[in-house]
């Protein structure tokens, strides 16, 4: 039998950790007026390499991590935590003094950012970002929507959230997500797990989700990166991103792939159906952005 003293010993580390975390969060909010807003956002797409690119960027000495340290890559402010307010959002970023010290130590400009792939897809995120940070730089990773949808399903399956096979999940998507986008607009401080979790097909219609961003931000503020370029030549894509952010060159020893999920190949009949479905959407995207995307060639 565990004694009362042993139980107290077991509880104390957890209680201390909780108190420390609460103190750090409170400190971040109290000093928020000294914490500039971020310089860049990686806004999507989900399962398009955002985690990998983010981890490459924070290895650059002039790209600091979020605060406190347990925050991995995003505050999720513009989609999930909008109701917490600007001070809470600012609390996640380094102070002006920290920026200046980092710039002095490494002799270059500091660039602060976050990576949140739901931002691109959320119906209110673009207008929220534009109102708060009209000069922010945006990075958009665009993956073959067929592969993206399958990878999205694999992630949900691995996390124990998706009980259906991929074909069944695609068929269930309209019912599962019915009215969720409208609810997010009608209730601005709400958050929808189905809209995040089960939108396998919808998220690949990239242009309709990018239009609100294209309407509000100058084209030179947006960097579009085919995810396949990141996978094929991570070093070149990383250098291109540094140039876009105005950061000096910095080489990495390796380019580890984060959140890669190996599995059986996608069933040919499902692949063919999705390829046909996305063809007109991909054509419209190419024409609108002027990008040479090779998804159709790769599928063929």
């Amino acid at each position: 039998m565990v004694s009362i003293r042993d139980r107290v010993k077991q509880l104390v580390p957890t209680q201390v950790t909780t108190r420390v975390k609460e103190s750090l969060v409170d400190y971040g909010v109290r000093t928020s007026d000294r914490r500039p807003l971020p310089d860049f956002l990686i806004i999507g797409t989900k399962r398009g390499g955002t985690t990998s690119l983010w981890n490459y960027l924070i290895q650059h000495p002039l790209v600091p991590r979020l605060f406190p340290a347990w925050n991995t890559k995003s505050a999720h402010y513009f989609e999930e935590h909008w109701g917490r307010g600007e001070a809470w959002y600012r609390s996640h970023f380094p102070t002006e003094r920290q920026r200046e010290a980092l710039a002095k130590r490494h002799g270059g400009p500091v660039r602060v950012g976050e990576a949140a792939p739901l931002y691109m897809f959320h119906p209110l995120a673009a207008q929220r970002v534009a109102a708060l940070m009209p000069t922010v730089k945006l990075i958009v990773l665009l993956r073959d929507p067929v592969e993206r949808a399958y990878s999205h399903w694999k992630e949900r399956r691995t996390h124990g959230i998706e009980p259906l096979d991929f074909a069944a999940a695609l068929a269930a998507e309209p019912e599962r997500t019915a009215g969720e986008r409208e609810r997010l607009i009608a209730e601005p401080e709400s958050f929808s797990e189905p809209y995040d979790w089960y939108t396998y097909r919808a998220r690949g219609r990239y242009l309709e989700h990018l239009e609100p961003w294209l309407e509000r931000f100058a084209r030179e503020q947006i960097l579009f990166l085919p995810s396949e370029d990141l996978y094929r030549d991570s070093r070149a894509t990383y250098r291109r991103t540094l140039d876009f952010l105005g950061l000096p060159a910095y080489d990495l020893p390796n380019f580890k792939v984060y959140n890669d999920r190996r599995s059986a190949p996608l069933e040919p009949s499902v692949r063919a159906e999705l390829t046909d479905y996305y063809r007109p959407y991909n054509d419209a995207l190419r024409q609108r952005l002027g990008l040479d995307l090779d998804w159709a060639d790769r599928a063929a």
Side-chain angles (χ1 to χ4, degrees), residues 169-221:
L170 289 171
E173 181 176 333
E175 181 179 355
R176 282 171 154 182
T177 62
E180 292 301 304
R181 184 177 180 86
E182 292 75 15
R183 184 172 69 82
L184 289 172
I185 296 171
E187 303 171 13
E189 294 188 8
S190 64
F191 179 75
S192 170
E193 288 180 341
Y195 189 74
D196 184 17
W197 290 353
Y198 301 127
T199 44
Y200 307 117
R201 187 187 297 266
R203 286 211 194 195
R205 300 192 300 264
Y206 294 132
L207 186 55
E208 69 183 65
H209 311 306
L210 285 171
E211 283 292 2
W213 299 89
L214 293 168
E215 292 168 2
R216 291 171 172 84
F217 293 91
R219 184 60 184 271
E220 57 267 22
Q221 288 177 251

Side-chain angles (χ1 to χ4, degrees), residues 124-140:
L124 300 178
Q127 65 190 61
R128 290 170 173 175
V129 173
L132 186 61
M133 304 184 299
T135 61
V136 74
K137 291 195 170 185
L138 306 170
I139 300 171
V140 182

Side-chain angles (χ1 to χ4, degrees), residues 7-283:
R7 288 181 181 177
V8 170
K9 286 181 180 179
Q10 292 171 359
L11 289 172
V12 167
T14 301
Q15 293 171 343
V16 170
T17 300
T18 300
R19 285 200 297 270
V20 168
K21 286 187 173 184
E22 290 174 350
S23 296
L24 286 172
V25 170
D26 181 62
Y27 171 74
V29 173
R30 285 189 289 105
T31 57
S32 62
D33 60 334
R34 288 169 260 164
R35 299 176 181 273
L37 291 165
D39 305 292
F40 72 92
L41 301 175
I42 302 176
I43 65 171
T45 182
K46 184 177 181 65
R47 305 304 304 161
T50 56
T51 299
S52 292
L53 183 59
W54 171 254
N55 279 281
Y56 303 155
L57 287 173
I58 60 174
Q59 292 181 63
H60 194 290
L62 290 165
V63 181
R65 296 171 178 266
L66 298 186
F67 177 87
W70 62 77
N71 287 300
T72 52
K73 64 179 182 178
S74 177
H76 297 288
Y77 176 58
F78 295 103
E79 19 89 334
E80 185 173 359
H81 299 301
W82 180 246
R84 293 177 179 264
E86 183 182 337
W88 180 87
Y89 182 53
R90 286 179 178 268
S91 74
H92 290 78
F93 306 108
T95 63
E96 188 65 55
R97 179 178 293 183
Q98 290 169 330
R99 280 178 172 247
E100 291 171 354
L102 204 58
K104 184 177 180 180
R105 186 182 313 142
H106 298 287
V110 172
R111 296 290 184 260
V112 175
E114 62 163 335
L118 186 53
Y119 285 174
M120 186 178 91
F121 188 56
H122 193 281
L124 300 178
Q127 65 190 61
R128 290 170 173 175
V129 173
L132 186 61
M133 304 184 299
T135 61
V136 74
K137 291 195 170 185
L138 306 170
I139 300 171
V140 182
L141 286 153
L142 297 173
R143 184 180 183 181
D144 178 343
V146 176
E147 297 296 340
R148 194 223 66 80
Y150 188 40
S151 182
H152 187 171
W153 172 82
K154 288 188 288 184
E155 179 193 62
R156 297 295 86 197
R157 189 82 161 181
T158 302
H159 290 173
I161 293 169
E162 180 54 85
L164 304 178
D165 65 36
F166 186 43
L170 289 171
E173 181 176 333
E175 181 179 355
R176 282 171 154 182
T177 62
E180 292 301 304
R181 184 177 180 86
E182 292 75 15
R183 184 172 69 82
L184 289 172
I185 296 171
E187 303 171 13
E189 294 188 8
S190 64
F191 179 75
S192 170
E193 288 180 341
Y195 189 74
D196 184 17
W197 290 353
Y198 301 127
T199 44
Y200 307 117
R201 187 187 297 266
R203 286 211 194 195
R205 300 192 300 264
Y206 294 132
L207 186 55
E208 69 183 65
H209 311 306
L210 285 171
E211 283 292 2
W213 299 89
L214 293 168
E215 292 168 2
R216 291 171 172 84
F217 293 91
R219 184 60 184 271
E220 57 267 22
Q221 288 177 251
I222 310 176
L223 175 65
F224 294 102
L225 297 171
S227 300
E228 289 73 19
D229 288 355
L230 180 66
Y231 304 145
R232 285 189 295 241
D233 194 343
S234 301
R235 194 176 304 276
T237 304
Y238 172 67
R239 289 173 179 167
R240 184 180 172 193
T241 306
L242 296 185
D243 288 342
F244 173 71
L245 296 176
L247 286 164
Y250 184 79
D251 203 16
L252 301 182
N254 62 74
F255 289 87
K256 172 186 173 181
V257 177
Y258 291 79
N259 289 348
D260 188 26
R261 298 184 187 280
R262 303 291 179 179
S263 69
L266 176 56
E267 185 179 335
S269 62
V270 179
R271 177 182 296 281
E273 188 274 322
L274 282 175
T275 299
D276 288 342
Y277 174 81
Y278 284 123
R279 186 170 288 110
Y281 297 104
N282 293 343
D283 289 343

